[in-house]
């Protein structure tokens, strides 16, 4: 089921997220809905707060990068109760966008690799090191679980330049092609 996506300015994007119970059947349905919603909006990642639930779950699908980066490692997966244990490697600049911040794209600098602990939707606990674009999507989605959006990471000058665009999103003047939840 395609869920409406919450936009910048919706307080849920700033909320503290809670861990979810992996054994619940409802989790599988929710993860399927996250995938449907992400696919419908042609996204490469989507986090639970973006559909109004302050919970520690996100999904990724790096297949969306294939056209631009044919050698990208393709992973389509859900991360339940994830924790980034460390970020390391070189600084890596990449142009990010976000389904909750339509029509904004900016270069963001992050570390190239992360070590992450998480549970799969089937309840398997994992810990692994990821790099490249997979790491980038994970870092972006993980920020959503910490109440952050990618523009928080920009310089104050860049933020000032984006102020008008962000307020246009928050006040409903930007209408993307996918289903969104209006901010009150
Ligand atoms: Zn995002």
């Amino acid at each position: 089921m395609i869920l409406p996506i919450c936009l910048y300015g919706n307080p849920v994007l700033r909320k503290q997220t809670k861990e979810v119970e992996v054994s619940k059947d409802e989790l599988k349905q929710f993860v399927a809905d996250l995938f449907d919603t992400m696919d419908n909006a042609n996204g490469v990642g989507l986090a639970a707060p973006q559909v109004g639930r302050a919970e520690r779950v996100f999904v990724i699908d790096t297949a969306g990068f294939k056209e631009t980066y044919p050698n990208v490692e393709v992973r389509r997966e859900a991360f339940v109760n994830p924790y980034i244990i460390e970020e390391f490697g070189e600084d890596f600049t990449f142009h990010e966008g976000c389904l909750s911040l339509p029509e904004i794209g900016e270069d963001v600098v992050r570390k190239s690799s992360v070590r992450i602990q998480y549970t799969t939707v089937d309840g398997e606990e994992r810990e692994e090191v990821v790099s490249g674009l997979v790491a980038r999507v994970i870092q972006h989605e993980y920020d959503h679980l910490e109440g952050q959006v990618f523009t928080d990471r920009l310089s104050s000058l860049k933020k000032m330049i984006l102020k008008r665009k962000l307020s246009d999103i928050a006040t409903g003047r930007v209408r993307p092609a996918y289903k969104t939840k209006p901010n009150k």
Side-chain angles (χ1 to χ4, degrees), residues 30 35 69 76 87 102 118 124 126-127 130 133 141 155:
F30 178 51
F35 276 118
Y69 307 97
R76 180 179 172 88
E87 294 184 86
Y118 63 99
E124 187 191 327
R126 288 192 187 159
E127 181 177 322
V130 288
L133 291 182
E141 299 313 325
S155 67

Side-chain angles (χ1 to χ4, degrees), residues 13 45-47 50 96-101 140-141 143-144 148-150:
L13 295 177
L46 188 69
Q50 293 181 275
E96 292 189 26
C98 179
L99 295 175
S100 295
L101 283 74
H140 176 113
E141 299 313 325
D143 273 359
H144 282 298
Q148 293 231 304
V149 294
F150 78 94

